[in-house]
Amino acid sequence: MTQAEIKLCSLLLQEHFGEIVEKIGVHLIRTGSQSLRVIAHDTGTSLDQVKKALCVLVQHNLVSYQVHKRGVVEYEAQCSRVLRMLRYPRYIYTTKTLYSDTGELIVEELLLNGKLTMSAVVKKVADRLTETMEDGKTMDYAEVSNTFVRLADTHFVQRCPSVPTTENSDPGPPPPAPTLVINEKDMYLVPKLSLIGKGKRRRSSDEDAAGEPKAKRPKYTTDNKEPIPDDGIYWQANLDRFHQHFRDQAIVSAVANRMDQTSSEIVRTMLRMSEITTSSSAPFTQPLSSNEIFRSLPVGYNISKQVLDQYLTLLADDPLEFVGKSGDSGGGMYVINLHKALASLATATLESVVQERFGSRCARIFRLVLQKKHIEQKQVEDFAMIPAKEAKDMLYKMLSENFMSLQVGCQ
């Protein structure tokens, strides 16, 4: 990890969690996995403070732990996860555009707290939404619950791994650290809760002053605690699903720029149909028939089946190969080549950077080298139709900036 990335991680941890958590987090980033006592010794921090800092980091998935054979628990920082904190505003805004204010606040609460039960999220969000409403209006728990279910159905939130419950508990000593497991089938399964109620407003300072003193008010929270209906079932934001959504949006935008709005809407429909059934790391989407795509087009999008088939054929024949044909059943089976689409997007971005920094002629040479993989200087001059001296200078510029590499061949 570069020094700039470590410095960025340090600033993010300090801004979100304070100095002690930042100190422990950066120490783990620099040194790798370490045990509790080694961390306390190396950082000069008390064991109690180290434990609290690690609890915060584990709660937010910024640190993972592993039990070794001798029973020693070692903690390791997840650097990529720390850097993802930069994208929190984008995750929240994306949820707002897809699921309105309720969805926005659900994801915001999960990101702020790391992990929460569904009942806790519903109550927090209902209270926050009630605060923003006019006097006399409140947000119903059922409405927030419905949005939470929709987020789980589309995999934007997921269950956290938990300690498995065993009927015959082992009489021996407990393990040094719990082993957390999750069944893939249960990862997006929402518990059946009957959350009845409405959001509550906070008492203003004026009401507090007019009412009886806080110390004399009866305490209902400690003695009359109701059992939590989903105790032990914690949820977190599924960041990989957000990245999958960003990837899909980039592919749709690229198709719209290259072809037209109708083509992009067809690709959007295909991506939406396979967003849950296709893994974020899969090279292709699940095959979809022309008939299925036609039935799933947005309501009011008036194109005939014949026109759709023409568009699909056009997309499949395009040199970029974003869409491929995988069979002839059901009017033709089509897939989206995700890896090829991402490679094309990355290539276009690189070409744009080269053109901005070095000019159009350098971009022409760079595009040529990308196509040919390996090419000699004389061939660059001939194919790019650029004088020898200029081509040499341009190649050296890009070589010195590490946009190209030199390979010496053997005679």
Side-chain angles (χ1 to χ4, degrees), residues 335-376:
V335 297
I336 293 180
N337 190 334
L338 299 171
H339 283 188
K340 185 148 269 181
L342 289 175
S344 298
L345 291 172
T347 302
T349 303
L350 277 173
E351 290 174 2
S352 175
V353 170
V354 170
Q355 182 159 343
E356 285 292 322
R357 188 174 294 192
F358 304 110
S360 59
R361 286 193 163 193
C362 277
R364 194 193 310 170
I365 293 174
F366 185 78
R367 200 175 293 115
L368 179 65
V369 175
L370 274 177
Q371 290 172 352
K372 301 289 184 182
K373 308 297 183 189
H374 301 91
I375 190 169
E376 294 180 1

Side-chain angles (χ1 to χ4, degrees), residues 231-398:
D231 190 21
I233 303 175
Y234 288 89
W235 293 80
Q236 61 188 354
N238 184 4
L239 304 189
D240 289 336
R241 177 66 182 87
F242 281 97
H243 295 160
Q244 182 183 338
H245 178 75
F246 300 154
R247 177 203 67 192
D248 292 351
Q249 293 296 100
I251 292 172
V252 169
S253 177
V255 172
N257 291 335
R258 183 171 177 81
M259 294 186 176
D260 62 3
Q261 196 62 38
T262 303
S263 300
S264 69
E265 196 58 50
I266 292 168
V267 170
R268 188 197 305 276
T269 301
M270 293 175 69
L271 288 167
R272 191 176 64 247
M273 291 170 69
S274 55
E275 62 186 1
I276 295 174
T277 57
T278 303
S279 166
S280 58
S281 58
F284 300 93
T285 59
Q286 295 292 326
L288 299 167
S289 71
S290 171
N291 294 330
E292 288 176 314
I293 297 168
F294 182 69
R295 287 195 298 268
S296 300
L297 283 171
V299 178
Y301 212 79
N302 297 318
I303 62 169
S304 65
K305 176 69 167 58
Q306 186 181 0
V307 172
L308 172 66
D309 289 337
Q310 290 173 352
Y311 267 105
L312 287 170
T313 303
L314 186 67
L315 285 163
D317 292 342
D318 187 75
L320 287 181
E321 299 178 13
F322 277 24
V323 176
K325 192 170 184 179
S326 62
D328 295 317
S329 60
M333 302 294 288
Y334 295 89
V335 297
I336 293 180
N337 190 334
L338 299 171
H339 283 188
K340 185 148 269 181
L342 289 175
S344 298
L345 291 172
T347 302
T349 303
L350 277 173
E351 290 174 2
S352 175
V353 170
V354 170
Q355 182 159 343
E356 285 292 322
R357 188 174 294 192
F358 304 110
S360 59
R361 286 193 163 193
C362 277
R364 194 193 310 170
I365 293 174
F366 185 78
R367 200 175 293 115
L368 179 65
V369 175
L370 274 177
Q371 290 172 352
K372 301 289 184 182
K373 308 297 183 189
H374 301 91
I375 190 169
E376 294 180 1
Q377 183 180 322
K378 182 70 172 67
Q379 291 175 307
V380 170
E381 299 161 10
D382 295 340
F383 285 124
M385 294 184 289
I386 294 174
K389 187 175 183 305
E390 286 185 38
K392 186 177 179 181
D393 290 343
M394 290 173 185
L395 284 167
Y396 179 75
K397 267 186 194 177
M398 289 187 282

Side-chain angles (χ1 to χ4, degrees), residues 84-234:
R84 284 183 181 185
M85 292 165 71
L86 285 170
R87 296 182 181 174
Y88 280 9
R90 191 177 179 191
Y91 301 146
I92 294 167
Y93 180 72
T94 299
T95 320
K96 182 182 177 71
T97 57
L98 295 174
Y99 299 99
S100 73
D101 293 345
T102 308
E104 173 196 8
L105 292 183
I106 288 172
V107 170
E108 185 179 326
E109 285 292 341
L110 289 173
L111 291 174
L112 287 174
N113 293 279
K115 303 176 179 73
L116 280 175
T117 61
M118 178 181 169
S119 56
V121 173
V122 168
K123 288 172 184 175
K124 281 174 178 281
V125 171
D127 290 348
R128 288 181 62 182
L129 288 169
T130 301
E131 287 284 341
T132 62
M133 290 179 169
E134 298 175 4
D135 291 340
K137 291 186 178 180
T138 55
M139 173 59 69
D140 199 294
Y141 287 170
E143 192 173 335
V144 182
S145 296
N146 291 337
T147 305
F148 193 100
V149 171
R150 288 168 60 204
L151 283 165
D153 288 343
T154 50
H155 296 186
F156 282 102
V157 298
Q158 63 183 13
R159 280 195 189 190
C160 304
S162 57
V163 180
T165 54
T166 53
E167 293 181 3
N168 299 322
S169 57
D170 189 359
T179 303
L180 305 178
V181 294
I182 182 75
N183 189 338
E184 282 190 23
K185 294 179 180 177
D186 298 335
M187 194 172 284
Y188 305 103
L189 182 65
V190 179
K192 293 180 179 178
L193 304 178
S194 55
L195 294 174
I196 302 168
K198 298 180 183 294
K200 297 177 180 62
R201 298 179 189 272
R202 294 178 187 173
R203 285 176 174 271
S204 65
S205 55
D206 295 337
E207 289 173 339
D208 286 341
E212 57 184 308
K214 291 181 182 178
K216 292 184 180 178
R217 290 182 195 149
K219 296 181 179 178
Y220 298 104
T221 53
T222 53
D223 299 328
N224 302 326
K225 241 183 184 178
E226 294 181 5
I228 302 171
D230 57 342
D231 190 21
I233 303 175
Y234 288 89

